[in-house]
Amino acid sequence: MASSNDTVPRLTAQSNKAKLEVAIVGGGIAGLITAIALLRHPGVSVEIYERAQEFKEIGASIGLGPNGLRSLEKLGVENALSEDISQRQKSDWPMIYRHWKTGDIIDHDVHHNVKTKKHSTTRFHRVHLHQALLENVPREIIHLGKKTLDVKADPDKGVTLYFADGSTVEADICIGADGIHSNVRKTFVPQHTLHWTGWVALRATFESSRLGDLEFPEDATHWIGHDRNFFHSRLGKGLFTTVGGFHADPLDPNAPGTDAKWDDLGSVQDFKELYKDWNPTVRAFIEACPYVRLFPNFAGAALETWSFSNRVTLVGDAAHTHGGAFAAGGSLAIDDAYALHLALNHVWPASSPQSAKPTKAQIAQIFSVYEATRKPHLNKVLGIVHKSLAGQKANVERGKTETDEQLRERVRQRMDPWWISEHDVDSAFREATGKVEGIAKL
């Protein structure tokens, strides 16, 4: 790739001329793991373009299910599985559900096909996982301060990326890994819209020492209330996280939360007020919070395709705007990267002599196999997300009428999320290669 910014360290044009040149838009978890996945192929060169001027502490906690952890391991990212930065349940139950007032356990989730502890559901501070991925990426391929404004795709020639600083860059393909508000997606699907779901999360992460001598459940837990929930978990490196929040009718223009902005500083006092009648342990967690930040939740409909002009494709939240449902976003992005790696090596094997770049037809096949591997699963996830959003107003009203026994029964009758958290990407890939017309190892 060639860049108009000569001050940015780059691989030389000569070293890349025989390689498939990939431009990844977005340097978050989705972008980094996609780079790691593609760089396992000797015929690929990658450059990452991140809009931020520097990597800094972002977000709060992130959970990875067995699916994401297995994909990380298969991609060789062993450092991300380290116990130093991660927290796994002592009970081996991936999630525990407690009553909002009494604190007693109503029910719990279970793993179905997890054979080793390191594949059990794991929680991280997002910055620790991001740093672990960075350790697997050559720093010279990461370009900060590169906000992508537009992408032009020519099926016969490749792509051109246009940045806010006036520079441009050319590549063979572009991968949009720029999150739920993706500019790459907007370029090719301008009609796609996001909708506020009515949920606003209130999040804080802090040193566990702030909890003092408080005795509390060791394992991550969802405390279930009639119209709101509360989540807490230990994280790696001695950190602790709390996540609360509230639901509102997203169709009500005067509903609380309509003006909330992502990562806005919220009011700890308002956080306390929301949970003032809850179990003393929950109230103590909130009392320990040094701050709280707001995260309004957005989601969008499933896309007809993630790939455009046989030169551009999407991964992570840019591809499937599920709004973080089931705390699965990180794992879904990692699985996308792994599936793209499988598709690339299926169509254009790393073991074959790399005397030329893949043809236009081969790139089309790579994207077809990738989508056939991932979209059926993600469309199912999105279908459930939007079915639940349709009942958001009813959920708000439920808090006024639901009895204690109805709450307990609702928890016991919840959907078992194991099919999301333990999704088998390899099995889906094998099925996809059998269905995609004309697929062959060329």
Side-chain angles (χ1 to χ4, degrees):
M1 299 177 216
S3 171
S4 61
N5 187 347
D6 295 333
T7 65
V8 179
R10 303 296 301 271
L11 297 176
T12 66
Q14 183 175 1
S15 68
N16 287 342
K17 67 180 181 180
K19 292 191 174 186
L20 177 69
E21 298 171 332
V22 180
I24 296 178
V25 178
I29 288 170
L32 293 182
I33 191 59
T34 300
I36 292 167
L38 296 182
L39 285 172
R40 291 179 68 85
H41 194 298
V44 174
S45 69
V46 172
E47 305 288 334
I48 300 172
Y49 300 94
E50 163 59 38
R51 64 184 296 169
Q53 295 291 336
E54 61 178 332
F55 287 131
K56 56 184 178 180
E57 187 168 317
I58 52 175
S61 60
I62 181 171
L64 296 183
N67 55 325
L69 297 167
R70 288 167 178 154
S71 292
L72 281 177
E73 185 176 53
K74 290 170 182 175
L75 291 171
V77 192
E78 290 284 350
N79 65 323
L81 304 181
S82 165
E83 293 185 4
D84 179 52
I85 64 169
S86 60
Q87 184 71 26
R88 294 169 176 83
Q89 302 282 72
K90 296 184 182 299
S91 64
D92 290 331
W93 295 340
M95 182 53 67
I96 296 169
Y97 302 90
R98 291 181 179 271
H99 189 277
W100 68 282
K101 189 70 169 179
T102 67
D104 60 298
I105 295 176
I106 303 173
D107 209 344
H108 61 268
D109 293 335
V110 297
H111 288 123
H112 289 240
N113 297 303
V114 175
K115 309 300 183 185
T116 174
K117 187 76 170 181
K118 71 176 179 178
H119 293 159
S120 297
T121 295
T122 305
R123 295 172 178 91
F124 307 78
H125 191 300
R126 185 177 290 269
V127 73
H128 296 160
L129 179 58
H130 190 262
Q131 181 60 43
L133 296 178
L134 273 174
E135 291 172 8
N136 291 270
V137 177
R139 288 302 181 103
E140 65 268 19
I141 73 169
I142 300 174
H143 311 288
L144 301 175
K146 291 291 185 180
K147 180 180 179 180
T148 305
L149 297 180
D150 195 11
V151 180
K152 300 294 185 185
D154 184 325
D156 296 312
K157 296 180 180 179
V159 295
T160 303
L161 282 65
Y162 298 83
F163 302 108
D165 63 5
S167 64
T168 62
V169 71
E170 295 179 351
D172 295 311
I173 65 174
C174 171
I175 298 176
D178 48 341
I180 194 168
H181 298 287
S182 168
N183 279 344
V184 178
R185 185 186 65 243
K186 290 176 184 177
T187 297
F188 294 95
V189 197
Q191 71 277 14
H192 184 268
T193 57
L194 299 173
H195 305 281
W196 178 48
T197 67
W199 165 249
V200 177
L202 308 176
R203 308 173 68 104
T205 300
F206 50 89
E207 295 286 342
S208 298
S209 59
R210 291 184 64 90
L211 296 171
D213 297 327
L214 177 68
E215 295 184 7
F216 60 90
E218 284 290 305
D219 278 351
T221 298
H222 270 305
W223 300 69
I224 307 299
H226 295 291
D227 64 348
R228 69 199 62 174
N229 300 331
F230 183 89
F231 171 79
H232 74 82
S233 177
R234 291 186 182 273
L235 306 175
K237 296 184 179 293
L239 295 180
F240 192 85
T241 190
T242 62
V243 183
F246 58 88
H247 295 275
D249 180 0
L251 301 181
D252 180 357
N254 299 314
T258 53
D259 297 327
K261 299 293 188 298
W262 188 262
D263 203 31
D264 270 357
L265 189 64
S267 165
V268 175
Q269 187 57 46
D270 289 347
F271 196 10
K272 293 177 183 178
E273 185 68 19
L274 274 173
Y275 294 91
K276 64 180 181 181
D277 298 323
W278 281 50
N279 185 279
T281 300
V282 171
R283 300 203 308 270
F285 288 150
I286 297 174
E287 193 69 37
C289 292
Y291 68 90
V292 64
R293 291 195 172 275
L294 308 181
F295 294 89
N297 184 255
F298 289 84
L303 300 174
E304 290 186 11
T305 181
W306 299 349
S307 304
F308 312 95
S309 301
N310 292 330
R311 292 289 175 175
V312 179
T313 196
L314 306 173
V315 298
D317 288 350
H320 32 84
T321 52
H322 66 288
F326 311 109
S331 289
L332 293 176
I334 293 166
D335 283 353
D336 287 349
Y338 179 54
L340 190 56
H341 158 78
L342 292 174
L344 173 68
N345 281 278
H346 177 77
V347 176
W348 194 49
S351 58
S352 61
Q354 302 299 324
S355 58
K357 298 179 182 182
T359 65
K360 179 174 67 174
Q362 286 176 312
I363 294 174
Q365 286 182 323
I366 292 166
F367 290 168
S368 293
V369 174
Y370 165 58
E371 283 201 34
T373 300
R374 296 297 291 149
K375 270 190 111 279
H377 177 63
L378 269 302
N379 285 352
K380 182 178 178 182
V381 172
L382 282 164
I384 292 174
V385 168
H386 290 285
K387 182 178 179 180
S388 67
L389 294 183
Q392 188 67 261
K393 184 176 181 179
N395 291 340
V396 175
E397 293 300 315
R398 180 186 64 212
K400 304 174 183 178
T401 61
E402 185 180 55
T403 66
D404 189 73
E405 184 50 42
Q406 286 173 333
L407 179 151
R408 294 172 183 270
E409 185 63 18
R410 171 165 58 88
V411 174
R412 290 191 287 263
Q413 295 300 320
R414 74 195 180 284
M415 181 195 75
D416 185 346
W418 80 274
W419 62 273
I420 300 174
S421 63
E422 299 186 40
H423 177 68
D424 187 338
V425 180
D426 288 294
S427 178
F429 168 73
R430 289 191 294 270
E431 184 176 351
T433 56
K435 287 183 176 180
V436 175
E437 187 176 47
I439 291 300
K441 292 184 179 181
L442 302 178

